[in-house]
Amino acid sequence: MHVILLGPPGVGKGTQGILLANSMGWQRVVTGDLLRAAVNAGTDLGQQAQEYMSAGELVPDPLIIEMVKEKLSALPAGTGVLFDGFPRTEPQVTAFGVMLEALGLTIDRVVVLEASDEVLVARIAGRRSCPTCGSVYNSVLAPPQREGVCDNDGSQLVHRTDDTEATVQNRLTVYRRETEPLISYYEGSNAIVHHISGDQGVDEVQAEVLQALGVGL
Ligand code: AP5
């Protein structure tokens, strides 16, 4: 199964993606995580991407497409794959289609998570992430057992540098302008598109996602 998780910043794509990948043994392709790893490693890609990410702008398509191509070609054949944060623009959709065709793959489902801007801004303000395993917490809504420490591996949790109020507003604007229109594209494709409210508890969202994908625990 190949699934795209689509939705605005802070809606819970990462939270649901981790739960789903862990329970189903699927791989995740998360362009935001790949970019943050490149920034932390100080690679050429990371240096080019950093300025865009800090401003809440999209990283240029050619850099993203190359990065995803590399990641896709390294995935073991025959596994389920969850795409989170990609594709985000029309050129990325087109390039993605070419990549998938070359590999004989198709997108089976698109899960669109939705919530109001008020909910998204509040969630992002409280988000804390583990730099080691990628686990996502929220200082108010989903706190770790020990404040500031990852439950899984004991790493010190971080507040993402693009989670400032000004950057979040721009990320929402960019999402509505560049990425939201892709939903109609996928509704007109062979993929089955499910709309799910992300404005419910994590478990409730997870149950609806599993039901939409027709997979159970
Ligand atoms: P990226 O990392 O993809 O960020 P995003 O799309 O803005 O999404 P987020 O990671 O902010 O949110 P999420 O939906 O995963 O929510 P989460 O589960 O963490 O992109 C970052 C930047 O990289 C972009 O701005 C761009 O510059 C660049 N980039 C990435 N991909 C690109 C591409 N393809 N093209 C060009 N540029 C690209 O949850 C958020 C918070 O809410 C957490 O605290 C969590 O604990 C909490 N929470 C989650 N679910 C619930 C719930 N149901 N109830 C209560 N709290 C919840």
Side-chain angles (χ1 to χ4, degrees):
M1 171 110 60
H2 294 88
V3 178
I4 296 174
L5 285 177
L6 221 155
V11 76
K13 303 182 296 296
T15 301
Q16 294 300 325
I18 290 171
L19 290 171
L20 198 52
N22 287 348
S23 60
M24 301 302 298
W26 290 352
Q27 302 284 323
R28 296 170 70 223
V29 175
V30 186
T31 45
D33 286 354
L34 293 171
L35 290 168
R36 280 183 286 279
V39 170
N40 290 338
T43 64
D44 279 354
L45 169 64
Q47 286 173 22
Q48 291 180 75
Q50 188 161 27
E51 168 188 344
Y52 297 96
M53 295 173 79
S54 309
E57 294 292 334
L58 294 179
V59 174
D61 290 327
L63 296 177
I64 298 291
I65 290 163
E66 205 42 50
M67 181 179 80
V68 172
K69 216 184 266 179
E70 210 172 286
K71 176 76 184 171
L72 259 188
S73 63
L75 287 180
T79 54
V81 186
L82 270 178
F83 296 91
D84 167 351
F86 177 87
R88 250 172 153 107
T89 64
E90 265 185 43
Q92 290 182 21
V93 167
T94 306
F96 191 33
V98 174
M99 277 181 229
L100 290 170
E101 201 179 339
L103 294 167
L105 304 175
T106 49
I107 291 298
D108 305 294
R109 305 285 169 101
V110 178
V111 174
V112 183
L113 297 177
E114 291 155 340
S116 68
D117 284 5
E118 292 72 29
V119 168
L120 301 172
V121 169
R123 283 187 184 176
I124 289 174
R127 171 167 46 199
R128 299 293 180 271
S129 315
C130 175
T132 309
C133 72
S135 294
V136 187
Y137 301 88
N138 191 287
S139 49
V140 182
L141 303 163
Q145 284 163 18
R146 269 180 57 212
E147 195 186 328
V149 178
C150 179
D151 294 344
N152 292 334
D153 56 30
S155 298
Q156 208 61 36
L157 300 178
V158 296
H159 190 208
R160 273 171 45 179
T161 52
D162 61 343
D163 278 353
T164 63
E165 203 180 326
T167 307
V168 169
Q169 288 301 340
N170 194 37
R171 282 161 61 197
L172 288 169
T173 303
V174 169
Y175 172 78
R176 305 278 177 224
R177 189 183 66 225
E178 303 285 342
T179 308
E180 203 169 48
L182 305 183
I183 298 170
S184 318
Y185 166 82
Y186 280 109
E187 282 171 342
S189 76
N190 288 329
I192 300 172
V193 180
H194 299 273
H195 291 258
I196 292 175
S197 167
D199 190 6
Q200 335 176 52
V202 171
D203 293 347
E204 285 74 22
V205 178
Q206 189 191 13
E208 288 200 21
V209 171
L210 291 172
Q211 194 183 16
L213 298 180
V215 293
L217 293 177

